[in-house]
Amino acid sequence: MSGKQTFTMIKPDAVEKNYIGAILKQITEAGFRIKAMKYTKLSTEGAGKFYEVHKERPFYDELVEYMTSGPIVAAILEKDNAVADFRTLIGATNPEEAAEGTIRKLYAESISANAIHGSDSDENAAIEGNFFFSTLERF
Ligand code: CMP
């Protein structure tokens, strides 16, 4: 059965352009409840660890550099079928391929500066949420 939680980050490009409010509005209006949230900045070490699964990819260094270029908003979101429904809401990784009305179509610049992250599985949602939040930070 699909899980009830996913993990997201509003990425540096979207924070820089002041889209935090608009993106959170779209997320909450789509029925997601905020279980945990913080405004923070990844260190190079932290981003390297978070994206370790992509270590062998050609875009890894660019990704780490980009994700440490400014603050982000990290959050755990709750909803039935959270992982799949959230990926539908944010759209394809490449904003040029994202469906109309999706967060990436509306706010992303490029495949690397693509405005928002969404976990790709229940397992990764748990790992990624645990990376940022203790149990005391969840409500
Ligand atoms: P996300 O799915 O949040 O996490 C992995 C990120 O790697 C992805 O978003 C993109 O921002 C980035 N990414 C994936 N593919 C590429 C690519 N071909 N070139 C640059 N960045 C990429």
Side-chain angles (χ1 to χ4, degrees), residues 94-112:
N94 184 349
E96 284 177 18
E97 292 163 13
E100 287 301 325
T102 59
I103 291 173
R104 283 174 172 154
K105 183 71 175 185
L106 289 167
Y107 303 115
E109 281 173 27
S110 64
I111 194 164
S112 50

Side-chain angles (χ1 to χ4, degrees), residues 68-83:
T68 56
S69 67
I72 56 143
V73 175
I76 297 172
L77 304 172
E78 226 168 42
K79 182 182 181 298
D80 285 343
N81 202 31
V83 166

Side-chain angles (χ1 to χ4, degrees), residues 1 10 14 17 25 29 37 39-40 43 51 57-58 61 63 66 72 74 76 85 91 107 111 114 121-123 127:
M1 202 187 83
I10 301 175
K17 290 177 173 165
K25 182 170 190 281
E29 284 181 354
M37 176 168 281
Y39 187 44
T40 185
S43 65
Y51 286 112
R57 305 279 196 102
D61 288 346
L63 177 61
Y66 168 65
I72 56 143
I76 297 172
D85 285 1
Y107 303 115
I111 194 164
N114 66 353
S121 65
D122 290 345
E123 186 192 4
I127 292 168

Side-chain angles (χ1 to χ4, degrees), residues 112-133:
S112 50
N114 66 353
I116 192 159
H117 170 80
S119 304
D120 63 5
S121 65
D122 290 345
E123 186 192 4
N124 283 334
I127 292 168
E128 293 168 2
N130 290 340
F131 183 90
F132 280 92
F133 299 101

